[in-house]
Amino acid sequence: MTAAEPRHIELQVKGMTCTNCALGIETYLRREGLDGVSVNFTTEEVSFDLGRPERLGALIQGIERLGYQVVKEDAPERGPSKVERLFLASIVFTLPLLAHMVLPMHWLHDPWVQCALATPVFAIGLYHFGRSALSSLRSGVPNMDVLIIIGAISAYGYSLYGALMQLGPDFLFFETAASIISLVLLGNVIEHRAVRRTTSAIRELSGLQPQEARRIISDGGSEQLELVPIRQVRPGERLQVHSGERIPADGEVESGEGELDESMLTGESLPQLRGPGAPVIGGTVLVSGVLRMRASATGKATLLSQIIELVKKAQADKPAIQQLADRISAVFVPAVLAVSLAAFLLSWGLLGTGIEQALIRSVAVLVVACPCAMGLATPTAVVVGIGRASRAGILVKGGRTLELFAGIRRVVFDKTGTLTTGQFALKRLHAAPEDLPAVRQAMAGLARHSSHPVSRSLAAALSGEAAQEWASVQEIQGLGMRGVDTEGTEYQLGSQRLVQGLEAVPGHSVYLLRNGRVWASAELEDEIRPGAQEAVAYLKAQGIVPVLLSGDRRAICERVAAELGISEVYAEQLPQDKLRIIGQFAAESPTAMVGDGVNDAPALARATVGISLSQATEVAMQAAQVVLLNGRLGLLPELHRISRLTVRTIRENLFWAFFYNVLTIPLAAAGFLRPVFASLSMAFSDVMVVGNSLRLRKRVGSSR
């Protein structure tokens, strides 16, 4: 009996505010023996592989015991969020407590009035932060809520003791306890809204998915249209799309003609004409016309859904720089607890400041040192960077990919289909002058009957010619085309192999034989892909070495390299040779590989960063970490700019987070920073880090 195939489970989890929250859930799930665990607090998603579906309910309960809420995937968030509602409730009671410090309202100075105002806020804090803090301690990964709750309990407990013992106003810190909770909640609210802005790329892409479709139903010889939810559409069903609507699924046009806006996927600004037999992509907009189509992929199998999943996975991926921050954040809480205790003992025991001042210093250290800003430093920048890349038409499969590509020192290009389009232009036709018209007609007539890329290019180049008519025509595998005209004359069109043993000028792309003798030949040139020249020039300007690596003939490779300004060329290389060369390059310095074919897949996987084009073979796209939509090599400089700016933003965020803690912890321990101002300062540091990450959207846009 074989074990059941594990199911991949995805859950929406509310209540995560930082990487420590996510780390606590991840630790819990791994301790439960689960594989494929991924927790992304920015998108509020938790995913894992589950072999026994009956365990799902218990796992959800376990996550909720940690202090988080598992919601249905399709449950929309209406009105204020949970953290916003808690903040509004707490601030109502906190403001009067703060007012007594500046307004001459004697009744607000009554300790029991202050206690009555602070208690609801303290209860909110215990509810919101206490459960999470306790659960994080159980999981072995103490989070920032531990610091918050200890600080609030200390201030509230000491104030309650002072009120009961009637020790006077110098022993009352109810406003401190309430302010800690309210201001941290305010920071959570701002973070929640800011982080939602960082995930706009996913929401924008998801918004492109249509919700309904017009399904064509045959009923007794007649056809009717039925408006159905998109989730009910199945592959093979026929659909009708009207002008102004989005294509509901991937498929093929059966009838009708219209112009499609495909800019969201290809970046092509002009609408593209699509008619019978043309492929269409779900989510693109029919600008004009009416189309009838047959669905080939629906739901999560569509290209748009796969793009959304790639973006989600990329945003959840942790670069090495973030993994370092996670490790620091995990040990930071115990260290701060030790510093707080030391501040209390030194102030009270050695400096003789009094227990109330010692407690104030201890509480201030706890509040000001919350590592939330440190935890936000990397994921917010990564999410914004990947979101910006996806909007530019660049699909990045992992957060660490941006970090790796920022340090690339060499970019290796395949030739055919990468630096060149794979479409061939007719450079020169060799034939006797008097035979040229007949030669062009014969070549056009034979090329139009072949699906070979060279034949298609030749047919396109000779599209204005009147094609030769044939009594019979056939394609001979490995040799080319053979046609016999109405007079019985035999013509053959093929490559160098066709003229082996015959007298022919070597090195030409195509040869035309008439009755077994060479009659004419043609030279074809592979067209340089648009944007290739600019991409290579940009890389050279950045000190990155471009390299051409191809299995094509040396003469052709050197011509392309010379045209693009590439000085390092490796020609006539087999797939195993490409793999070996990329391995050597990657061992010397960080190396990216750009390719599109099946033979490029091993090299793409071996490179530091593999980059594929969207028209590439599926195996090449799977092996790569980056996909350039619409085959636009001009996106390569944009990817490099985004990568560098993302890493720079992460470093800036980490600097400010560490600098903030280095600066404020000693101030709090020395008594220069009261808990209420420490709480406000801590919230400000979080907002500063998120705000700096959001700047990345404009910084990238202005760097073009």
Side-chain angles (χ1 to χ4, degrees), residues 14 69 76-89 189 192-193 196:
K14 301 288 184 182
Q69 179 187 5
E77 184 176 309
R78 298 176 180 175
S81 65
K82 177 183 175 182
V83 69
E84 290 171 331
R85 293 193 299 270
L86 291 176
F87 167 71
L88 292 174
V189 168
H192 175 74
R193 294 184 176 183
R196 282 183 61 83

Side-chain angles (χ1 to χ4, degrees), residues 10 83 219 257 282 318 432 449 503 511 544 554 678:
E10 295 182 356
V83 69
D219 185 12
E257 193 173 74
K318 296 180 181 180
H449 286 85
E503 186 177 344
Y511 295 88
I544 300 172
R554 176 164 295 277

Side-chain angles (χ1 to χ4, degrees), residues 384-405:
V384 174
I386 290 176
R388 178 63 184 86
S390 67
R391 284 190 293 272
I394 305 167
L395 297 185
V396 182
K397 294 186 181 180
R400 62 170 61 92
T401 300
L402 291 178
E403 183 183 8
L404 291 172
F405 195 73

Side-chain angles (χ1 to χ4, degrees), residues 72-73 110 127 328 330 340 462 484 501 556 572 579 689 696 700:
K72 292 183 178 179
E73 187 176 357
D110 186 287
Y127 167 74
I328 294 174
S340 176
L462 299 172
V484 178
I556 295 175
E572 302 175 4
L579 184 62
V689 165
L696 178 59
V700 172

Side-chain angles (χ1 to χ4, degrees), residues 276-346:
V280 289
I281 301 171
T284 54
V285 179
L286 182 61
V287 177
S288 63
V290 177
L291 297 180
R292 287 196 167 193
M293 58 171 288
R294 187 174 295 276
S296 61
T298 61
K300 292 192 174 183
T302 63
L303 176 61
L304 179 58
S305 294
Q306 292 172 10
I307 291 173
I308 293 173
E309 287 304 311
L310 281 177
V311 175
K312 285 183 178 181
K313 290 177 181 178
Q315 291 180 342
D317 190 46
K318 296 180 181 180
I321 195 169
Q322 180 179 347
Q323 294 169 357
L324 173 62
D326 286 348
R327 291 194 295 270
I328 294 174
S329 184
V331 301
F332 193 73
V333 174
V336 169
L337 290 174
V339 172
S340 176
L341 179 61
F344 176 81
L345 294 176
L346 288 173

Side-chain angles (χ1 to χ4, degrees), residues 168-302:
D170 290 340
F171 290 83
L172 300 179
F173 306 105
F174 285 116
E175 79 282 351
T176 297
S179 298
I180 289 172
I181 293 168
S182 294
L183 289 174
V184 174
L185 283 172
L186 173 62
N188 288 170
V189 168
I190 297 173
E191 289 166 19
H192 175 74
R193 294 184 176 183
V195 168
R196 282 183 61 83
R197 287 182 61 195
T198 67
T199 57
S200 60
I202 291 177
R203 294 199 303 276
E204 289 173 10
L205 287 171
S206 299
L208 298 176
Q209 295 177 309
Q211 301 302 310
E212 295 180 320
R214 287 185 174 86
R215 185 163 56 192
I216 302 173
I217 300 176
S218 299
D219 185 12
S222 63
E223 293 182 338
Q224 297 180 350
L225 297 180
E226 177 187 26
L227 193 64
V228 297
I230 191 64
R231 63 177 178 272
Q232 294 182 12
V233 177
R234 299 290 180 265
E237 292 184 335
R238 299 170 65 223
L239 309 171
Q240 184 164 304
V241 188
H242 295 170
S243 178
E245 296 178 347
R246 292 192 180 276
I247 302 296
D250 294 355
E252 184 177 290
V253 178
E254 282 196 338
S255 63
E257 193 173 74
E259 291 185 315
L260 279 176
D261 178 1
E262 300 177 338
S263 58
M264 64 100 176
L265 287 177
T266 66
E268 177 61 55
S269 57
L270 296 176
Q272 304 297 302
L273 186 64
R274 295 288 183 265
V280 289
I281 301 171
T284 54
V285 179
L286 182 61
V287 177
S288 63
V290 177
L291 297 180
R292 287 196 167 193
M293 58 171 288
R294 187 174 295 276
S296 61
T298 61
K300 292 192 174 183
T302 63

